[in-house]
Amino acid sequence: MGVDGVTGEDEGLRRRGCSCGKDDFLPEKSFKSWGNYVQALKETPNRFMNRVLTRSLDSTELHEIKARSQHEMKKNLSWWDLIWFGIGAVIGSGIFVLTGLQAQQVSGPAVVLSFVVSGVSAMLSVFCYTEFAVEIPVAGGSFAYLRVELGDFIAYIAAGNILLEYVIGGAAVARSWTSYFATLCNHDSDDFVIIVHSMPNDYSKLDPIAIVVVCVICVLAVLSTKGSSRFNYIASIIHVIVILFIIIAGFTKADTKNYSNFAPFGVRGIFKSSAVLFFAYVGFDAVSTMAEETKNPARDIPIGLVGSMAITTAAYCLLSVVLCLMQPYQKIDKDAPFSVAFEAVGMSWAKYVVAAGALKGMTTVLLVGAVGQARYLTHIARTHMLPPWLAQVHPKTGTPINATIVMLIATAIIAFFTDLKILADLLSISTLFIFLLVALALIVRRYYVSGETSTTDRDKLITCLILILGSSTATATYWGVSENNDWVAYVITMPIWFLATSGIAVFIKQARKPKVWGVPLVPWLPSLSIAINIFLLGSIDGASFKRFGIWTCVLLLYYFFFGLHASYDTAKESGENRIGDGWKRVEEGQSVSTVTASGVSLDEAK
């Protein structure tokens, strides 16, 4: 073991710099020869069981894993930077594009309630993120949190969906950028795309402008995090000014008659919109990935995350109210709703202000997304679940250049081909899935600590969590498949959720108190987050779940043929966690320092 947890392998990585040899991608023992690889495949079941049961430690993520990058990321962000990063990450195409589609076809003027439901769900998730980000301030975000509390395998599945979330989110915003650019130029959005009639409708409109925008963002993201912050800060201020203009000017043209039929599609329409409009809140988790570059995580992260989300939710609700007061919901344009609404009320010049503001917002969303997704990928690569070449941090810029470029190439390819609606639905599934796992991990963190929690309390916790997940899933499933508003099933499922959450609160002793800042009302708040996230999943269409299933299968194939063996070898060689000692040792997630201190040699640990 090298100094500060840096192994000889890591030192070799430092010496190689930014090379692109085989050892930068597959340096592990299992890939040194075909014979080694075949042997590794034969051991797949045992290795899989080990990684399923392995839980990491806070200290492992903070020191040993972080040391596998070539250089430290620069700590130069404050809570002020994080608030503006949060605003820049969230307020983008979600409000300027999806609001029109949902108001016109799914929820009507009640779209404001859809934003409220999505906002409550997002805020609950924000609280769950803050406690983790304060205590485990690393670039891995939710991937690192899940490795610590739910184990290596669950973290990997979440990681794959995190990456999908960012690629799809960036692609959706890039496609929307083209639509509003067309409006600014007084053109139809189809004038700036290449239509290929031989391809399926959802993939037939090729968008070259989206690729150009993503490339420009890539250059900004790799140069400097602080520089990106300054650009985001200036652009977000302009964006907020435009939003205030839309709200104030819009209210001067409001007609309350447009609210006479407030919920034409009923309660079901409100929740269906909520599931899709959750897309509009995606991005705040990127702020948690910047914890490693924050000067004072304990203070800055809670202020940055909660502050930006509160501002964003208020802005969304006001904007949606203004839109539906300006025009009857049937006449709202689904592609550029605010621009067309101002034109309809005689303020044609205002559509250019709206389009310019939307472009500013989408640009900052792309920038913050690029910064966040690269840091996720960097931390995942540090564990060798993905090639360690992606974990390299450039010595001059202090940014993960390789990870940034790879993620944005993927984003550009998806943006070039794919329709916005497909992207939005699939993105919501991935995001809701990750957020419910983080909420679950927070309950585990508070109520289960190896060596302290009794076996009885552990079994009670597992039972209660199964009941919470089961009752929430049953509620969402019934909502998704039932054609009427029958409430009998909810009388059964919702009390089960309540009793299971009460069981944790009353009968299980908290094993860990937050050191600096903690989520209030645990377990109620994270349990409610789980229930709402699963409920919103029940409102998403079946085709999106099929695409989600296909992506999960792709993740599993890569994991069993490459990621599993690479991460297993790395953990074994570095002593990151003790290997092969059964449930008791593995679930404790002992690091080398812990094992050797207890008198167990490194060789024995292997």
Side-chain angles (χ1 to χ4, degrees):
M1 178 70 70
V3 179
D4 293 329
V6 181
T7 65
E9 176 188 335
D10 300 323
E11 291 168 357
L13 182 62
R14 289 176 182 272
R15 287 194 297 270
R16 287 196 296 272
C18 291
S19 61
C20 292
K22 175 182 176 296
D23 284 347
D24 290 296
F25 291 88
L26 294 170
E28 300 81 16
K29 181 180 178 181
S30 293
F31 305 102
K32 292 296 183 184
S33 68
W34 280 106
N36 286 7
Y37 184 57
V38 171
Q39 182 60 36
L41 291 179
K42 290 179 180 177
E43 297 175 7
T44 295
N46 290 334
R47 292 185 173 198
F48 176 64
M49 285 305 299
N50 171 268
R51 303 319 291 163
V52 166
L53 300 177
T54 298
R55 298 169 69 224
S56 185
L57 293 168
D58 292 11
S59 59
T60 301
E61 300 298 316
L62 287 168
H63 303 294
E64 296 172 32
I65 302 297
K66 190 166 74 171
R68 292 175 186 167
S69 286
Q70 286 190 354
H71 303 277
E72 291 279 339
M73 295 185 189
K74 297 177 181 178
K75 291 183 177 293
N76 50 22
L77 300 179
S78 66
W79 63 266
W80 185 250
D81 295 309
L82 295 183
I83 281 184
W84 286 103
F85 260 127
I87 293 173
V90 177
I91 301 181
S93 62
I95 183 66
F96 287 111
V97 176
L98 291 180
T99 306
L101 176 65
Q102 295 302 309
Q104 183 204 75
Q105 299 181 2
V106 185
S107 56
V111 69
V112 62
L113 297 183
S114 300
F115 273 116
V116 170
V117 173
S118 297
V120 169
S121 177
M123 185 62 83
L124 292 174
S125 297
V126 162
F127 275 109
C128 296
Y129 266 82
T130 52
E131 182 168 328
F132 279 113
V134 166
E135 298 200 354
I136 314 175
V138 294
S142 54
F143 171 71
Y145 314 152
L146 295 177
R147 255 174 61 88
V148 169
E149 299 303 336
L150 299 184
D152 227 42
F153 179 67
I154 297 297
Y156 169 78
I157 296 298
N161 282 285
I162 290 165
L163 297 181
L164 179 68
E165 169 195 328
Y166 275 111
V167 169
I168 289 177
V173 175
R175 298 276 305 193
S176 300
W177 203 99
T178 303
S179 297
Y180 269 91
F181 180 71
T183 300
L184 194 62
C185 298
N186 246 343
H187 280 266
D188 187 80
S189 58
D190 285 351
D191 295 341
F192 291 95
V193 300
I194 302 168
I195 301 177
V196 182
H197 297 288
S198 60
M199 297 179 67
N201 290 335
D202 292 331
Y203 305 93
S204 62
K205 295 182 178 180
L206 310 184
D207 192 341
I209 290 180
I211 293 182
V212 174
V213 173
V214 170
C215 289
V216 172
I217 292 299
C218 182
V219 173
L220 289 172
V222 301
L223 289 178
S224 165
T225 304
K226 189 62 178 179
S228 298
S229 174
R230 289 178 182 141
F231 175 84
N232 172 72
Y233 175 54
I234 295 169
S236 294
I237 289 176
I238 297 172
H239 194 198
V240 168
I241 292 171
V242 172
I243 288 173
L244 290 174
F245 165 78
I246 294 172
I247 293 171
I248 295 169
F251 271 124
T252 64
K253 299 293 183 178
D255 185 353
T256 55
K257 292 179 181 178
N258 294 330
Y259 254 45
S260 59
N261 188 6
F262 181 68
F265 301 96
V267 175
R268 192 168 292 273
I270 293 172
F271 282 103
K272 282 185 177 179
S273 282
S274 294
V276 175
L277 289 174
F278 198 86
F279 169 82
Y281 291 95
V282 170
F284 73 81
D285 52 329
V287 177
S288 70
T289 69
M290 299 173 196
E292 198 170 310
E293 299 160 88
T294 303
K295 296 175 184 176
N296 185 355
R299 179 197 65 188
D300 297 340
I301 291 172
I303 295 174
L305 275 170
V306 177
S308 60
M309 184 53 62
I311 293 169
T312 298
T313 302
Y316 280 176
C317 291
L318 288 171
L319 285 167
S320 60
V321 168
V322 164
L323 177 64
C324 293
L325 283 174
M326 290 173 70
Q327 269 192 304
Y329 74 90
Q330 303 95 327
K331 296 182 179 180
I332 292 174
D333 186 83
K334 65 179 182 179
D335 294 318
F338 289 93
S339 295
V340 174
F342 275 108
E343 194 168 14
V345 296
M347 296 177 66
S348 299
W349 58 271
K351 75 175 183 180
Y352 300 108
V353 178
V354 174
L359 288 178
K360 287 284 187 182
M362 293 176 199
T363 303
T364 58
V365 167
L366 282 170
L367 179 59
V368 179
V371 172
Q373 68 191 22
R375 279 139 188 82
Y376 264 125
L377 189 59
T378 297
H379 199 78
I380 295 166
R382 287 168 174 171
T383 68
H384 288 221
M385 288 186 190
L386 291 173
W389 179 78
L390 295 167
Q392 295 177 7
V393 175
H394 196 277
K396 291 184 179 179
T397 64
T399 58
I401 291 180
N402 297 344
T404 304
I405 293 174
V406 167
M407 287 296 290
L408 288 176
I409 287 174
T411 300
I413 292 171
I414 298 297
F416 187 56
F417 289 100
T418 313
D419 182 74
L420 176 63
K421 186 180 186 305
I422 289 178
L423 295 173
D425 287 346
L426 188 54
L427 177 66
S428 293
I429 291 181
S430 296
T431 305
L432 291 165
F433 174 67
I434 294 161
F435 290 169
L436 80 87
L437 286 178
V438 171
L440 181 65
L442 179 62
I443 297 177
V444 173
R445 183 173 182 82
R446 287 287 194 93
Y447 288 92
Y448 179 75
V449 174
S450 299
E452 295 183 21
T453 304
S454 67
T455 303
T456 302
D457 278 352
R458 184 195 65 187
D459 293 343
K460 289 178 183 176
L461 178 63
I462 292 173
T463 301
C464 289
L465 289 177
I466 290 173
L467 289 173
I468 289 171
L469 291 170
S471 60
S472 300
T473 303
T475 301
T477 302
Y478 185 74
W479 171 265
V481 301
S482 63
E483 297 295 331
N484 52 46
N485 295 318
D486 185 14
W487 47 267
V488 175
Y490 306 130
V491 173
I492 299 172
T493 59
M494 295 178 73
I496 292 175
W497 171 86
F498 179 83
L499 292 172
T501 308
S502 300
I504 296 176
V506 175
F507 298 110
I508 305 175
K509 179 183 177 182
Q510 283 201 32
R512 190 200 308 263
K513 298 290 184 181
K515 299 172 185 175
V516 181
W517 190 92
V519 176
L521 301 175
V522 174
W524 293 101
L525 190 148
S527 181
L528 184 59
S529 179
I530 291 171
I532 292 178
N533 287 331
I534 292 177
F535 186 78
L536 291 178
L537 282 170
S539 298
I540 296 176
D541 67 286
S544 296
F545 276 101
K546 289 179 183 177
R547 298 185 191 103
F548 177 77
I550 292 171
W551 174 245
T552 301
C553 289
V554 171
L555 290 177
L556 291 174
L557 284 173
Y558 173 84
Y559 183 72
F560 285 118
F561 283 100
F562 294 99
L564 167 62
H565 308 293
S567 60
Y568 179 91
D569 285 350
T570 303
K572 184 173 181 179
E573 184 170 343
S574 69
E576 174 194 324
N577 292 100
R578 182 168 179 158
I579 301 295
D581 216 15
W583 280 91
K584 184 177 186 298
R585 286 289 190 182
V586 173
E587 77 172 4
E588 291 171 2
Q590 288 186 307
S591 66
V592 167
S593 57
T594 307
V595 174
T596 53
S598 64
V600 182
S601 71
L602 184 59
D603 289 335
E604 291 172 343
K606 294 180 182 179

